[in-house]
Amino acid sequence: MAEREKEFSLADFFSLLTTRRELIIGCMVLLGVFLTFVALAGAPVYEANGSFQITSQGGALGALSELISFSGGSSSLNSEIEIVRSRSIALSVIDDLDLQVKITDTTHGGPLTKATMFVLSDRLQRQLRDIRIVDAEFPSGSIDTAFTLTFTDDSGNYRISGPSGDLGTGHQGDPFVSDQLSLTVASMKGPAGTEFELKPRGLYDTLRTYREMLRVSALGGSTRTNLIQLQYKDTNPGLARDVVNAVIDEYDRRNTEWKEGLGSSQTALIEDRLNEVLGELTDAEEALAEYKNQFGVVSMPQEASLAVSELSAREAEKIDLDLRVSLLQGVHSRLASSLNDDSFAVPPSLTGDPLIAQLAADHARLTVELDDLLLDYTESHPSVIAKRESILNVRENILGAISSTTRGLIGQRSDLGGIISGLEQNMYSIPGVERDLLELERERDVSEAAYRLLAQRLDEARLITASYSVGNRIIDRAVAPDRQIYPSIKKNLAMGLGLGLVLGIFLAFLLEMTDPRIRRADQLLDLLNGSPVTKVVKATDEEIARAAGTLALSTLRSGMKSLSLVCPGPDTPRLRGQLEKIIKELSRGVYPILLVDTATNGKILTFFDVDESIGIAEIAHGKDVEPQEVEGKRILVLPPGSDPSSSYVTNQLVRDKVRSLQTQTSLTLFHLPGFSRLPAQRGWNTMAGGAVLVIQRNREYKVDYYRAIDALEADNTPILAALLLD
């Protein structure tokens, strides 16, 4: 049996929406209410925001800032972001704020009660309840053990209970100590009866939650401004604010200490070198003055003075290279001392070297990956060990790159020393100049140039170090947010309506494809695709009967003289009642009717109130039959008898008897209920000139309808009309 198919048009789509509107609207309402309830029942989540700017003095302090400044470009800012997100700062913040204790407001019990109270009164009261706990300590083995803290009044008194029962009472600000926990309630807000659940969490779970809730990024997405933005989400708005501010303060403290330490050591190095040069300058001036007094020499020839000036400039360059080498060696020494510590950090001033910049980026990436691994594994896990080995290897490569840069500067210093030696030889070969005077002038000018250079470098170093003591510039400290970011009632409602619409349309399509019923006239037309259809009627019983009568009369006039009422599906009382009206309508015509009722049981024309006509089984045994007079019309009813079978169709006596009863002015009507289920009735159908398909609306007989249509097509019986009966 071939399935009928039809292209689904836009008109069909809107027709489907109209037909299934109750289902679609129901899905929208159901999901809208459900997601709104979820928003009401869920704990509100707040987000606190803060931002700060990494200090940078490099642009105004000259060449030395390139060596000791710690604010570089985009790569350094990304490194600083990773430092803010680092495990060491996270552990410090977790310890300071006791984040290992999960605090949940359980004043109104479970989600159902919370949602109800939220609608009734809790919406305004939820932010009026708060608690802050510090110095919390729990014994080992109490992870995920729930303790309940209940406000006994509004004066700061509370009671704590645990799995073993009541643990005692306490007061705000006073340490609470018991054999199962110890803590101090720093602040508490709420009426008597307010209840909080305290549950200690493992360090790894706390770190995971901390990393998930904290977001660190360049403010506005730009790395040029050195602005970093922090965002933290929590169900407690005050705690979200405190975490953001604690992260900013901890990073600023560590960053300032690190920079001050390195800046101070570099400043001390420059001061020591400056004092040495000052002593050398003083000695050189005294020796030169003594020589001039003794020998009466006032000045040297111009050529000799120019040679001394050039030699002094070269000597100053060599001293500057010495200073750079010393500073790099100091950075190398400081990094080498923290090789195996989490405090290892590459100064952004070194990221100007492409190799060091790449290694610094690899170090930041590996550090983040290590932090992620430590959320799931311990230090002894092979993955953690391998990751630490990779980090150590990168750090050693960074130290190697710094050493390579230092060796490059030493090479430049050596080359400059050769140039200075050549200048000395040229200077001493000038005729007419005392060698001792040249030497004294040279020592004095070189010391003076070195002193000016070192004094400038010292001023720069002091200014940079002083700027570090100020710390990073905090642009916006976090404040407790007053609006939750989710769950949002409006968003959940809109999402519920949207999902409900999609789900409703999907279910409508699904039901349309799987629904075995014929519900509409267009579905019946689709069912009869490829068959000639005279008329499809969906109306009242009287209109259906009148249409059938008109069709039957037109059939008789066309010379067919016989018509099959094909009724797929079971022979229901409702169907028989409608068929009775059809037959009654036909009996009002001017032509006699020969009705062959092939129903297995019962009679169809009960409303005629006549004796039952002789059955087909009796005709098959040679008995005669006479027409009945009903309301002045000749109607002959041939019921099937007690045991109908296909033999009645093939029995020549029966077939000849039925044909003999047919006249030029009579209509033979074959009633074939259950047509698709009783193959024997197909023989009666072949005696008809055409068929009227009688379909019962909203009945799950579509398979029977397909079978009936295929049987009619196989018998070459045209379908003259289809009646859709309610």
Side-chain angles (χ1 to χ4, degrees), residues 14 33 78 118 138 162 164 177 185 243 270 514 519 580:
F14 285 110
V33 171
N78 292 331
F118 185 90
F138 296 84
S164 60
V177 180
V185 177
V243 169
I270 297 174
T514 59
R519 296 177 290 102
E580 288 177 359

Side-chain angles (χ1 to χ4, degrees), residues 239-291:
L239 183 60
R241 171 203 60 205
D242 294 341
V243 169
V244 171
N245 291 333
V247 172
I248 293 177
D249 293 339
E250 181 65 19
Y251 168 79
D252 187 58
R253 181 186 66 80
R254 295 189 180 204
N255 190 48
T256 301
E257 289 179 357
W258 198 85
K259 291 179 179 179
E260 282 184 335
L262 187 56
S264 298
S265 64
Q266 293 170 341
T267 302
L269 176 65
I270 297 174
E271 286 179 340
D272 293 341
R273 188 73 181 92
L274 181 64
N275 291 331
E276 293 177 4
V277 171
L278 180 60
E280 295 173 357
L281 176 61
T282 302
D283 294 341
E285 287 179 343
E286 292 177 354
L288 180 61
E290 182 180 353
Y291 179 86

Side-chain angles (χ1 to χ4, degrees), residues 93-409:
V93 173
I94 289 173
D95 184 63
D96 291 343
L97 299 180
D98 289 288
L99 297 183
Q100 284 190 253
V101 182
K102 182 180 180 181
I103 303 176
T104 307
D105 185 356
T106 58
T107 303
H108 293 311
L112 180 61
T113 307
K114 284 182 179 179
T116 304
M117 293 303 298
F118 185 90
V119 174
L120 297 179
S121 64
D122 198 47
R123 182 168 187 173
L124 298 177
Q125 296 181 4
R126 182 174 285 177
Q127 294 189 18
L128 301 180
R129 298 190 301 269
D130 189 19
I131 190 171
R132 177 72 184 278
I133 293 177
V134 297
D135 302 329
E137 295 183 3
F138 296 84
S140 59
S142 62
I143 300 299
D144 292 332
T145 301
F147 298 87
T148 302
L149 188 150
T150 306
F151 295 1
T152 56
D153 55 34
D154 55 0
S155 301
N157 296 309
Y158 59 86
R159 177 178 298 277
I160 298 180
S161 60
S164 60
D166 186 34
L167 301 181
T169 59
H171 185 76
Q172 176 182 343
D174 298 333
F176 177 90
V177 180
S178 72
D179 57 346
Q180 296 189 30
L181 82 162
S182 62
L183 54 83
T184 299
V185 177
S187 63
M188 51 189 294
K189 181 172 63 175
T194 298
E195 184 178 283
F196 290 94
E197 180 186 76
L198 313 180
K199 183 179 292 186
R201 296 181 294 182
L203 178 59
Y204 294 118
D205 291 337
T206 306
L207 273 172
R208 184 188 302 277
T209 303
Y210 171 88
R211 293 288 297 276
E212 290 174 352
M213 297 295 103
L214 179 66
R215 183 175 180 269
V216 186
S217 61
L219 185 63
S222 174
T223 59
R224 297 181 179 179
T225 58
N226 281 347
L227 293 173
I228 294 180
Q229 181 181 43
L230 286 83
Q231 298 169 314
Y232 190 83
K233 301 174 184 177
D234 197 85
T235 56
N236 186 332
L239 183 60
R241 171 203 60 205
D242 294 341
V243 169
V244 171
N245 291 333
V247 172
I248 293 177
D249 293 339
E250 181 65 19
Y251 168 79
D252 187 58
R253 181 186 66 80
R254 295 189 180 204
N255 190 48
T256 301
E257 289 179 357
W258 198 85
K259 291 179 179 179
E260 282 184 335
L262 187 56
S264 298
S265 64
Q266 293 170 341
T267 302
L269 176 65
I270 297 174
E271 286 179 340
D272 293 341
R273 188 73 181 92
L274 181 64
N275 291 331
E276 293 177 4
V277 171
L278 180 60
E280 295 173 357
L281 176 61
T282 302
D283 294 341
E285 287 179 343
E286 292 177 354
L288 180 61
E290 182 180 353
Y291 179 86
K292 289 182 177 182
N293 290 333
Q294 182 178 356
F295 295 100
V297 179
V298 178
S299 62
M300 295 186 302
Q302 184 177 5
E303 183 180 1
S305 298
L306 292 176
V308 170
S309 298
E310 184 178 359
L311 183 60
S312 300
R314 295 294 183 178
E315 290 280 5
E317 291 180 15
K318 185 173 179 293
I319 292 174
D320 197 23
L321 284 175
D322 288 337
L323 179 60
R324 288 172 178 266
V325 169
S326 298
L327 292 177
L328 280 175
Q329 289 174 340
V331 172
H332 184 279
S333 176
R334 193 176 186 88
L335 291 179
S337 65
S338 61
L339 185 63
N340 296 309
D341 300 336
D342 291 337
S343 60
F344 186 97
V346 182
S349 58
L350 299 181
T351 58
D353 186 311
L355 176 59
I356 297 180
Q358 181 60 46
L359 291 172
D362 293 342
H363 181 266
R365 175 179 55 80
L366 291 173
T367 302
V368 173
E369 293 176 357
L370 176 64
D371 289 343
D372 292 337
L373 285 175
L374 289 174
L375 295 177
D376 299 317
Y377 308 113
T378 61
E379 291 285 352
S380 60
H381 193 274
S383 299
V384 176
I385 295 175
K387 192 64 66 177
R388 284 203 178 277
E389 291 177 352
S390 300
I391 292 176
L392 181 61
N393 183 54
V394 171
R395 291 177 178 178
E396 291 174 347
N397 291 336
I398 291 174
L399 293 178
I402 295 175
S403 298
S404 178
T405 303
T406 304
R407 288 193 296 270
L409 292 177

